Amino acid sequence: MNNLNLAPLYPEIFLVVATSVILLIDMFLSDARRNLTYLLSLGALAVCAALTLVDFNHGATQYTFGNMFVSDPMSNLLKLFSYLAVGLTLIYSRQYTTDRNMVTVNTGGEFYVLALFSLVGQMVMLSANNFLIIYLGLELMSLSLYALVALRRDHTASTEAAMKYFVLGALASGFLLYGISMLYGATGSLDLAEVARITASGTVNRMVLVFGVVFVVAGLAFKLGAAPFHMWVPDVYQGAPTSVTLLLGGAPKLAAFAICMRLLVEGLWTLAVDWQQMLTVMAVVSMAIGNITAIAQTNLKRMLAYSTISQMGFMLLGLLSGVYAGSDANAAANAYSSSMFYAITYVLTTLGTFGVIMLLSRAGFEADNLEDFKGLNQRSPWFAAVMMVLLLSLAGVPPMMGFYAKLAVLQSVLGAGMLWLAIVAVLFSLVGAYYYLRIIKLMYFDDATDNTRIVANGDMRIALSLNGVAVVVLGLLPGPLMAACGAAILRTLAS
């Protein structure tokens, strides 16, 4: 290792040390003082954000550990949104986890500590520049999430969801590892840049490379929750505690986008013709299965799980439209940045949606059925409006953030000359709009069946309100964030 520079790793090092210290402190806290663990966790995220912001503003790309780890604009921008996603999740989850005895003397502050360790895994994935580092980050994130899903050990649905998630997750990891081993066998390297150089030389067996790509894409599709590797998503989303479902559906999607970029675009761009075909099939199937199946759901968490599958299909459209005949670096950057913007939009919107579910939940009651949202406008006009904004954004209705995200992706698809694919995406978006609008109808046009007063902490109310406002503001003024995504992708691909 000729460049052992720890500066690019400062946020990861700090978070590992801080999480370990928080774990130790938490061991000596009583239930009455468990709030300290929550505050320390948010403080650790704030320090990480400050450290990463310095690197992001600097704008330079730094490599360390023999080029296995990279700190570049794309990874830094996605890390900032990952901190935001985990921070909002902790804020939304505080009352929910307390009401369900998930942070008592028996489990301590494991919820907070495991959430931070899963974030460390995501940060490693975001900065990985080597197959093994990608796998290391992936497993660190996945093991923490398996434990989180099973955190309510006396809850049958959670235990069943954890078992299913663990078994299928291990299978997907096997796919990814097998694909990586085939690529290593063909190229003799685990370094992404070196693999790209060797595959471009045309000196390796293409058949072995293509088989390796097939297994790698299958493993990535599982992590994204894209069809036909989506079977775990509805059951795990529904079975896991809502606070854990939010951890699963939020920041990990940003990490999954990043490893798609690292593996497919940076490492295997010479095989784009092969993986583009797979992504095209997965995108269409995901949008079809996700949108059509969601219509039949009566459980909101399960409906949002199918919505996630369809949204990931849409995000794949941007990834697959970056390379085509006649494309240049700017065209590729536009396509990938639109996909990145879509991933950020999805995460911000999903955070708020699950936040409202937790806002309406209380001890002994999960507000996760569509019926539970009847007459929400009568109980709280403001939070009904927030939920409406988030649902309209997921449906892609202007002027919400989701509309601009879909528009940017569709422009990339049209730029790549795939008119038929853009038409299919629009048609399935129209189908998907039905089940989002159905919830708005329940909130505004049906009488409330539950008139229990909505009780929530001030920090949750403020965060949820800002979340809803941000979706509107970024829909009206998407330019700065879109420009940041474009610049980050362009500088990352050029480095």
Side-chain angles (χ1 to χ4, degrees):
M1 301 204 182
N2 50 7
N3 58 343
L4 189 56
N5 172 21
L6 293 181
L9 270 165
Y10 283 161
E12 285 80 5
I13 293 172
F14 172 79
L15 190 55
V16 169
V17 173
T19 306
S20 303
V21 171
I22 291 171
L23 179 60
L24 281 174
I25 293 173
D26 183 78
M27 290 173 62
F28 299 99
L29 293 177
S30 62
D31 284 353
R33 301 185 63 191
R34 193 73 65 198
N35 207 32
L36 181 60
T37 308
Y38 163 75
L39 294 174
L40 288 173
S41 301
L42 289 183
L45 292 175
V47 175
C48 285
L51 292 171
T52 304
L53 195 58
V54 171
D55 283 345
F56 180 69
N57 288 333
H58 191 255
T61 298
Q62 301 180 75
Y63 292 91
T64 189
F65 287 106
N67 293 338
M68 289 193 293
F69 189 94
V70 61
S71 172
D72 54 23
M74 184 186 79
S75 64
N76 287 325
L77 184 59
L78 289 175
K79 280 178 192 175
L80 290 172
F81 279 99
S82 297
Y83 305 145
L84 177 66
V86 174
L88 284 176
T89 303
L90 298 188
I91 292 172
Y92 294 159
S93 304
R94 183 157 69 108
Q95 190 63 46
Y96 182 92
T97 52
T98 304
D99 289 344
R100 282 147 191 81
N101 298 322
M102 292 169 66
V103 285
T104 61
V105 68
N106 291 328
T107 57
E110 287 177 18
F111 174 77
Y112 299 111
V113 172
L114 287 170
L116 293 181
F117 274 127
S118 76
L119 178 60
V120 174
Q122 292 158 36
M123 293 163 71
V124 172
M125 290 165 68
L126 291 169
S127 285
N129 195 43
N130 182 285
F131 284 123
L132 283 186
I133 302 300
I134 288 174
Y135 190 72
L136 183 69
L138 184 63
E139 287 306 296
L140 179 55
M141 179 192 75
S142 299
L143 290 172
S144 302
L145 292 177
Y146 298 150
L148 278 166
V149 175
L151 199 57
R152 295 183 74 185
R153 289 185 282 272
D154 56 346
H155 197 260
T156 307
S158 295
T159 309
E160 183 183 335
M163 287 286 289
K164 188 171 289 185
Y165 188 37
F166 175 72
V167 172
L168 293 177
L171 186 65
S173 295
F175 276 141
L176 187 61
L177 205 55
Y178 189 61
I180 289 173
S181 67
M182 293 186 79
L183 293 172
Y184 176 70
T187 62
S189 177
L190 292 170
D191 183 83
L192 292 178
E194 185 67 8
V195 168
R197 187 189 67 76
I198 294 172
T199 53
S201 68
T203 57
V204 291
N205 188 321
R206 185 173 175 81
M207 184 65 73
V208 178
L209 288 176
V210 171
F211 269 107
V213 168
V214 169
F215 282 101
V216 165
V217 171
L220 293 177
F222 178 90
K223 297 302 175 186
L224 281 169
F229 304 96
H230 65 285
M231 294 76 72
W232 63 277
V233 180
D235 293 341
V236 175
Y237 270 44
Q238 184 180 4
T242 307
S243 54
V244 177
T245 306
L246 186 49
L247 277 171
L248 286 170
K253 300 304 181 193
L254 299 176
F257 166 81
I259 60 171
C260 286
M261 284 292 297
R262 300 286 186 206
L263 283 172
L264 300 180
V265 178
E266 292 188 29
L268 301 169
W269 64 270
T270 54
L271 299 166
V273 173
D274 300 294
W275 55 256
Q276 275 177 329
Q277 294 175 22
M278 294 183 65
L279 294 192
T280 304
V281 173
M282 287 196 303
V284 173
V285 176
S286 296
M287 288 187 289
I289 291 177
N291 284 314
I292 293 171
T293 315
I295 293 174
Q297 306 305 315
T298 56
N299 182 280
L300 186 55
K301 286 166 68 178
R302 200 169 181 85
M303 192 206 81
L304 290 173
Y306 282 107
S307 160
T308 297
I309 295 166
S310 68
Q311 301 279 353
M312 289 301 102
F314 219 102
M315 192 192 79
L316 289 177
L317 295 178
L319 280 172
L320 66 89
S321 55
V323 181
Y324 56 90
S327 66
D328 55 16
N330 286 325
N334 283 336
Y336 301 137
S337 60
S338 66
S339 189
M340 183 174 170
F341 185 89
Y342 196 92
I344 292 171
T345 300
Y346 165 77
V347 170
L348 284 179
T349 313
T350 297
L351 286 169
T353 312
F354 279 98
V356 174
I357 295 176
M358 283 190 276
L359 176 77
L360 300 183
S361 300
R362 56 185 182 272
F365 174 72
E366 300 283 342
D368 57 0
N369 285 310
L370 297 184
E371 300 291 313
D372 300 326
F373 280 75
K374 277 186 173 179
L376 178 59
N377 183 52
Q378 300 163 19
R379 300 172 63 194
S380 173
W382 173 246
F383 287 110
V386 170
M387 186 65 170
M388 180 180 69
V389 163
L390 297 167
L391 291 169
L392 291 177
S393 181
L394 285 170
V397 175
M400 308 308 167
M401 191 181 181
F403 167 74
Y404 186 81
K406 286 184 189 295
L407 182 65
V409 169
L410 288 174
Q411 284 177 332
S412 301
V413 175
L414 289 173
M418 293 181 279
L419 176 62
W420 70 271
L421 194 52
I423 294 173
V424 169
V426 171
L427 289 176
F428 280 123
S429 291
L430 292 175
V431 173
Y434 168 75
Y435 54 85
Y436 296 123
L437 296 177
R438 182 174 58 179
I439 302 173
I440 296 175
K441 179 256 178 190
L442 290 173
M443 291 192 302
Y444 282 91
F445 297 103
D446 285 26
D447 292 329
T449 55
D450 179 8
N451 290 307
T452 308
R453 193 169 69 89
I454 297 172
V455 179
N457 296 315
D459 51 356
M460 180 180 188
R461 288 174 175 269
I462 293 170
L464 199 51
S465 300
L466 291 176
N467 197 161
V469 171
V471 169
V472 178
V473 172
L474 288 171
L476 293 170
L477 302 169
L481 179 56
M482 192 68 198
C485 291
I489 291 287
L490 202 57
R491 282 186 285 176
T492 297
L493 293 179
S495 63

